[in-house]
Amino acid sequence: MTSGDERRVERLRPTPMLIMAVVVLAGSTALLAVDLTDQRTHAAWSWVPAIAGAAIAAWACWRTAATPGLGPATRRVWRSLSLVCALITLGVVCETRLAVTNPARLDEQDYLPPMTCYALAVTVLLWALLRLPTRNRKGRNRALVRFVLDAAIVGITAGIFAWYVISQAEDPWHASGTVVVPMMMVMALGLVGSLAFVKVANAGPGSIDHVALRLLAAAAAFGAGGSALFALLFSAQPSPNSSQMFINGTLLFVVFAADRQRRAAGVAVPERRHRSFSFVPYVAVAATDALLLVVSHAAGGTVFTVALGAVLLTALVVLRQVNALRENGRLLRRVDTNLVQLNSYQSQLTHRATHDALTDLANRNLFEQQTSEALAAIGPGETLSLALIDLDDFKTINDRLGHAVGDALLIVVAQRLREAVRDGDEVARLGGDEFGLLLHGLRSDEATEVLDRIAESLTRPVHALGYDLLVNASIGLSEVWPDASPQELLRRADLAMYAAKERGKGRHAVYDAKLEQDQAADAQLGAELRQALDNGDFTLVYQPIVALPGGEWTSLETLIRWKHPQHGFIGPDVFIPIAERTGLIVPLGDWILRTALAQAAEWQRDFGSRAPAEIGVNVSARQLREPGFAADVRAALADTGFDPEKLVVEVTETAVFDGGIALDTLQELVTLGVRIALDDFGTGHSSLGLLRTCPADILKVDKSFVDGIGGRSEEAVIATAMIQITNGLHLQAIAEGVETAGQAETLHRLGYRYAQGYHFSRPLSPEQVHERLAAASVLSV
């Protein structure tokens, strides 16, 4: 019954209903053959098959109306057809009563009940068909007017032919004249009914099967036209009972139509192309013209000549009109084609306006519209969650591998997001590497399961134009609340996303009130940072790096301090992350670099070779990704006159772990002669591969490995391994956070030759450094 996804109509099979209808027709035909020339059977037996056939057809139509898969309008039509068959049954019963009584003394009034039943049957049929729905009310009214006109044409044409047949008949016609008018009426109504079925079949409304409609049209034409003509033509015979064959033939068509409709239930009715004009008027004109030629030919001479000229003129007019209508039809079809193309273009433009061209996901405008609609549709007890997804380090991929690779990566990520969400959830690309999800019916704790699936799907390598890339995403989630607005829901998800980024790559965060408080505090502190930078409220201090075991100064690390007017000293661990998020780290870092270089240059001028050999400056990941950072360092060195080889740029592992622009910037600094130190080594993305790719000269071992270095601790094992690695790679190792003499002694025994920490010196102001250097100079003299 099915092929692929498209259902097909079942094949015709013998059913009890069809078999009974065929048997009844065969029986009625046999009785007609027996009684055609002489009444050999009782009159009642001639009508029994017709009663049985009408009852079978009524039951078949009623069963069809109850078939699952039919639309309301279709069910109504088949119930009406069941009523039509019931009225025919009643009419046949009335005719049976007339046949059983004294048929010799029947007059026109005796035929009134059966003819009334047949007329009512046709009327019910027409009413049911005219009630079928159309595309619009205006179209339905126009169709009704056209049908009434065509019905009038059919009725008049049938009447003309019937009267002509009657006028040519001899005395037997007059003997049965009581049936002429009723039979003509039934024939005309039957042809109109057939016309109605044809009209409906061509229009194809609702779920009424086209083949079933054509079978019903054939039933109406066969029953009304054949029965009426048979009665007129053979009324002189002793038993001209046409209903024996024509009524049962008609009802057999009805039973076949009902069976076809049951088999086609639930199958989509295909659209049909409508003709631009109806053939009914032209067929009627042609038939009447033919009859006119027959009649005028009998009259001969001038009458036939005039009639022939009129027919030819009519034919030419009809041909001209048909040609014009066909041309109009072609023009209308061309207009329809253009309208279809225009609608297609309009749909494409609408799609382009609301969807991302690269990934075919909804764009920001459509996503905001979907969010608004989802919020408006939320009922009591229902919920909604919105997630914002930002790919980590996507800019690095674009810059290093090109935008084509970046676009290919976005397409794969979009597909994985579609696969990770449920049916009914919305996925959108909001711009760049940012995506949005609308998760219906999920609370934030439930939505995190979806986010876990997304994170898991993104951990699989992405193949993009020959590159296998690893992707991480930071995700922020917000849940709807009473009176939520789309803009605020997006803002909260955005805030949560940035909170996830601060916690590290590949994480997600859920919005809560604390995030709002932290953002407000960050915004306030960011404004104060800007003001402090403008007012010169920052100061630099310098912590010595010493040689082991003697503790002689070898270099200084530059550290920044901020004394807030109200809050006192604020640690770098508080304000540096805020400076990075707000972008203030760029001007602040430039100030630190230039100030430190100027101070170091001053010490070299004042103390010469007794000044620290190197000055270290911390540089953030944000600064390394800033275009032109290496050029800014070059300019600062040139302005201060400081030797590039005595500058050490300290960076964390995290800042350069993923390579990209940050690593390229370090290479440019090395080209200038600047030395590179990996700071806090062991706390970030520790990787031996990083020691090969990063152009580092110095490895600063984090304080956490120095704290437990005494005894047989794991820290001691790691510290030992690190010194072996640095020696093998020819790197300078510096132990950070040395606070006791025992730690210094152990480090020296393990092989460390440089250290830094409170055991040797706390960070010193420029004045204190100057004093220490001056004192050392005096002692050396």
Side-chain angles (χ1 to χ4, degrees):
M1 185 171 178
T2 60
S3 177
D5 294 329
E6 182 183 355
R7 293 191 59 194
R8 298 181 181 275
V9 180
E10 291 183 353
R11 295 180 61 184
L12 176 64
R13 293 183 176 87
T15 64
M17 201 77 67
L18 291 174
I19 294 172
M20 285 190 295
V22 171
V23 169
V24 168
L25 176 61
S28 65
T29 305
L31 286 172
L32 178 62
V34 171
D35 296 334
L36 184 62
T37 58
D38 188 19
Q39 188 71 37
R40 297 182 177 86
T41 63
H42 192 276
W45 285 108
S46 303
W47 294 95
V48 170
I51 297 174
I56 292 171
W59 178 240
C61 293
W62 187 261
R63 282 189 56 198
T64 299
T67 303
L70 298 182
T74 306
R75 294 180 186 276
R76 186 171 59 244
V77 168
W78 285 101
R79 282 195 294 266
S80 300
L81 288 173
S82 179
L83 177 58
V84 168
C85 293
L87 289 171
I88 292 174
T89 305
L90 183 59
V92 175
V93 170
C94 292
E95 285 201 71
T96 304
R97 185 185 64 84
L98 295 177
V100 172
T101 59
N102 188 5
R105 292 186 294 179
L106 296 179
D107 55 19
E108 293 183 4
Q109 291 183 352
D110 294 321
Y111 285 95
L112 184 60
M115 294 305 147
T116 302
C117 291
Y118 299 147
L120 284 175
V122 176
T123 304
V124 171
L125 171 64
L126 295 178
W127 174 248
L129 293 178
L130 292 176
R131 289 184 63 199
L132 283 172
T134 56
R135 294 177 178 83
N136 53 68
R137 191 175 186 85
K138 291 183 178 179
R140 181 174 182 175
N141 293 335
R142 288 196 297 267
L144 178 60
V145 171
R146 287 196 298 268
F147 174 75
V148 170
L149 292 175
D150 287 346
I153 292 171
V154 169
I156 294 172
T157 304
I160 292 173
F161 271 84
W163 277 112
Y164 174 74
V165 172
I166 294 170
S167 66
Q168 298 302 307
E170 298 180 1
D171 292 340
W173 285 108
H174 303 286
S176 58
T178 56
V179 301
V180 172
V181 174
M183 285 299 181
M184 286 178 54
M185 293 175 57
V186 171
M187 181 177 67
L189 288 175
L191 292 175
V192 171
S194 176
L195 173 65
F197 279 120
V198 172
K199 290 281 188 180
V200 173
N202 288 330
S207 58
I208 301 181
D209 183 71
H210 294 153
V211 176
L213 286 169
R214 289 191 174 87
L215 289 171
L216 291 172
F222 179 80
S227 181
L229 288 175
F230 191 92
L232 291 173
L233 294 174
F234 293 95
S235 59
Q237 300 297 334
S239 180
N241 190 359
S242 63
S243 61
Q244 293 180 14
M245 181 176 67
F246 286 99
I247 291 180
N248 287 294
T250 299
L251 298 175
L252 179 62
F253 277 110
V254 173
V255 174
F256 269 101
D259 179 78
R260 167 71 186 195
Q261 182 66 78
R262 282 196 300 273
R263 289 184 286 113
V267 179
V269 178
E271 289 288 334
R272 300 178 61 83
R273 192 177 72 179
H274 304 292
R275 289 196 299 264
S276 57
F277 61 93
S278 172
F279 281 111
V280 172
Y282 305 108
V283 172
V285 169
T288 306
D289 283 351
L291 181 60
L292 178 61
L293 289 177
V294 172
V295 173
S296 60
H297 183 268
T302 305
V303 175
F304 178 74
T305 303
V306 173
L308 180 61
V311 168
L312 290 175
L313 181 61
T314 304
L316 291 175
V317 171
V318 168
L319 288 174
R320 183 180 183 280
Q321 188 173 13
V322 169
N323 183 64
L325 290 174
R326 286 185 177 277
E327 184 63 30
N328 290 340
R330 283 193 292 269
L331 292 175
L332 287 175
R333 286 193 294 273
R334 191 176 302 168
V335 170
D336 289 341
T337 302
N338 292 336
L339 287 176
V340 170
Q341 293 177 349
L342 182 61
N343 290 334
S344 175
Y345 294 150
Q346 185 176 4
S347 299
Q348 293 176 14
L349 290 175
T350 302
H351 186 83
R352 291 176 183 175
T354 57
H355 287 75
D356 175 56
L358 178 65
T359 63
D360 202 39
L361 295 176
N363 60 16
R364 178 178 289 274
N365 291 335
L366 181 57
F367 186 70
E368 291 178 352
Q369 178 184 337
Q370 291 171 339
T371 305
S372 300
E373 293 172 353
L375 289 175
I378 287 181
E382 297 179 344
T383 188
L384 176 75
S385 292
L386 187 148
L388 287 185
I389 303 173
D390 188 82
L391 302 184
D392 298 322
D393 300 323
F394 177 74
K395 186 175 184 299
T396 302
I397 295 174
N398 261 350
D399 293 338
R400 295 200 68 190
L401 304 179
H403 289 279
V405 176
D407 289 347
L409 171 65
L410 291 174
I411 293 173
V412 176
V413 169
Q415 182 60 35
R416 292 188 182 180
L417 291 178
R418 287 192 189 98
E419 295 170 354
V421 300
R422 306 162 304 160
D423 292 339
D425 293 335
E426 276 84 25
V427 184
R429 183 187 177 203
L430 305 183
D433 60 342
E434 190 175 57
F435 296 86
L437 304 179
L438 207 56
L439 307 174
H440 297 273
L442 293 183
R443 298 188 305 273
S444 57
D445 56 337
E446 298 170 329
T448 54
E449 298 179 6
V450 178
L451 303 187
D452 290 337
R453 288 202 305 271
I454 291 172
E456 190 277 331
S457 69
L458 294 179
T459 57
R460 303 194 305 271
V462 174
H463 187 74
L465 297 183
Y467 295 92
D468 288 323
L469 306 174
L470 294 177
V471 182
N472 288 317
S474 299
I475 308 175
L477 184 70
S478 62
E479 183 180 350
V480 73
W481 67 97
D483 301 324
S485 66
Q487 294 76 18
E488 181 61 16
L489 194 62
L490 280 166
R491 189 193 70 81
R492 292 188 177 188
D494 190 60
L495 184 61
M497 182 190 69
Y498 279 104
K501 277 188 175 295
E502 292 174 15
R503 299 171 188 173
K505 298 176 181 179
R507 300 177 182 268
H508 58 75
V510 180
Y511 173 88
D512 57 24
K514 188 176 182 301
L515 289 180
E516 204 75 64
Q517 297 169 1
D518 293 344
Q519 187 201 36
D522 287 357
Q524 178 65 28
L525 198 59
E528 294 174 351
L529 271 174
R530 177 78 262 181
Q531 186 176 1
L533 184 60
D534 294 339
N535 296 340
D537 293 339
F538 294 102
T539 58
L540 297 182
V541 295
Y542 304 88
Q543 187 173 29
I545 297 172
V546 303
L548 296 178
E552 299 85 9
W553 287 13
T554 60
S555 59
L556 297 173
E557 179 183 0
T558 305
L559 304 172
I560 188 170
R561 296 292 182 265
W562 179 21
K563 186 177 182 180
H564 194 277
Q566 286 81 33
H567 306 299
F569 281 102
I570 299 177
D573 59 329
V574 175
F575 68 82
I576 289 297
I578 296 176
E580 289 184 345
R581 288 196 298 272
T582 59
L584 284 174
I585 192 65
V586 176
L588 181 61
D590 185 68
W591 177 82
I592 294 172
L593 175 65
R594 287 180 172 274
T595 304
L597 291 178
Q599 184 63 72
E602 181 182 337
W603 288 330
Q604 286 190 347
R605 286 192 301 268
D606 293 344
F607 301 104
S609 60
R610 299 184 183 90
E614 295 176 334
I615 187 76
V617 177
N618 289 284
V619 173
S620 70
R622 174 69 180 270
Q623 289 175 273
L624 291 177
R625 291 195 298 268
E626 194 71 16
F629 175 74
D632 294 339
V633 173
R634 182 190 298 110
L637 290 168
D639 293 343
T640 58
F642 193 76
D643 186 358
E645 296 182 354
K646 296 182 178 182
L647 172 63
V648 177
V649 169
E650 298 189 15
V651 297
T652 62
E653 303 165 77
T654 305
V656 296
F657 180 76
D658 293 327
I661 295 180
L663 197 58
D664 294 340
T665 302
L666 291 184
Q667 295 287 1
E668 294 181 33
L669 294 177
V670 171
T671 303
L672 295 177
V674 176
R675 303 184 73 200
I676 307 298
L678 280 178
D679 198 11
D680 301 329
F681 190 81
T683 60
H685 297 283
S686 298
S687 170
L688 297 180
L690 181 63
L691 298 178
R692 293 188 298 105
T693 57
C694 179
D697 304 289
I698 303 168
L699 193 69
K700 301 186 76 173
V701 180
D702 187 71
K703 180 180 182 298
S704 60
F705 299 108
V706 175
D707 289 340
I709 202 170
R712 300 179 59 82
S713 64
E714 294 178 353
E715 287 81 0
V717 175
I718 295 175
T720 302
M722 285 187 178
I723 193 63
Q724 294 174 348
I725 291 172
T726 55
N727 289 338
L729 296 177
H730 306 290
L731 299 177
Q732 179 183 336
I734 301 175
E736 295 183 299
V738 180
E739 296 183 351
T740 66
Q743 290 175 341
E745 182 181 350
T746 302
L747 287 168
H748 182 260
R749 187 173 64 251
L750 292 175
Y752 284 87
R753 296 297 176 260
Y754 301 93
Q756 177 182 0
Y758 281 7
H759 171 65
F760 305 107
S761 175
R762 288 180 176 272
L764 305 173
S765 66
E767 293 77 18
Q768 291 173 319
V769 173
H770 192 279
E771 292 174 1
R772 295 282 186 93
L773 292 176
S777 297
V778 172
L779 291 176
S780 64
V781 175

